[in-house]
Amino acid sequence: MHIDVDPSEINKNKPANLPIVSDIKYALHRLNEMIKKRAIQKKFTGWHKQIAEWKSKAPLRYRVTEEVLKVAAHARSHGRQSGEVILPQMAIEMLYELTKGEAISHDRRGPAFRCGPANIISSSSHASS
């Protein structure tokens, strides 16, 4: 599914199985209404098994490196008040915890995903089907 207000973006990087030209807020509202009327019945057992295997081999990990600390020091030297370092992974992990896994994140450049490790619910043109 590809939802975009600009029709020239549809099929630009990857063919869309379901192209929708619309304002995203309106389109998602309508999709939610449709799902409430007829809930999705599919189960993705094989996919969830694959995700569990990946998570066991490479669980979500991150660390604050020297490079990250240098960037934070640079930011402080340019007027940023907080000395705290917040990595993107930390933000996603916090969103996951605060919303009990129900938040949805999208940065317009990459996949939209449920804020939790490997819980992808949809993808951008950068992913494969």
Side-chain angles (χ1 to χ4, degrees):
M1 177 186 316
H2 182 162
I3 302 171
D4 207 303
V5 71
D6 181 355
S8 70
E9 292 295 320
I10 303 288
N11 297 317
K12 189 174 183 178
N13 296 316
K14 180 182 176 191
N17 293 327
L18 178 59
I20 300 173
V21 177
S22 174
D23 171 73
I24 190 72
K25 184 176 179 180
Y26 174 77
L28 291 178
H29 176 73
R30 289 287 295 131
L31 284 170
N32 282 330
E33 286 177 353
M34 292 167 69
I35 290 170
K36 284 178 187 173
K37 288 181 182 175
R38 192 181 71 170
I40 297 171
Q41 300 296 319
K42 274 191 167 180
K43 294 191 180 196
F44 301 97
T45 312
W47 177 241
H48 290 283
K49 183 179 176 185
Q50 178 66 64
I51 292 170
E53 185 180 319
W54 287 334
K55 287 167 83 173
S56 70
K57 289 180 181 176
L60 176 67
R61 290 189 288 247
Y62 52 89
R63 60 191 169 90
V64 178
T65 63
E66 278 298 316
E67 184 178 3
V68 170
L69 291 173
K70 286 178 187 175
V71 169
H74 177 76
R76 280 191 305 277
S77 72
H78 285 79
R80 184 170 166 215
Q81 299 298 316
S82 172
E84 184 177 13
V85 174
I86 301 173
L87 296 173
Q89 299 93 325
M90 293 173 169
I92 295 299
E93 185 176 45
M94 181 62 73
L95 277 170
Y96 179 79
E97 290 172 6
L98 292 173
T99 64
K100 298 177 178 61
E102 294 299 316
I104 297 174
S105 171
H106 194 287
D107 70 0
R108 184 149 166 80
R109 293 169 290 155
F113 58 94
R114 210 170 276 282
C115 289
N119 292 322
I120 297 171
I121 59 171
S122 119
S123 64
S124 72
S125 59
H126 303 289
S128 60
S129 358

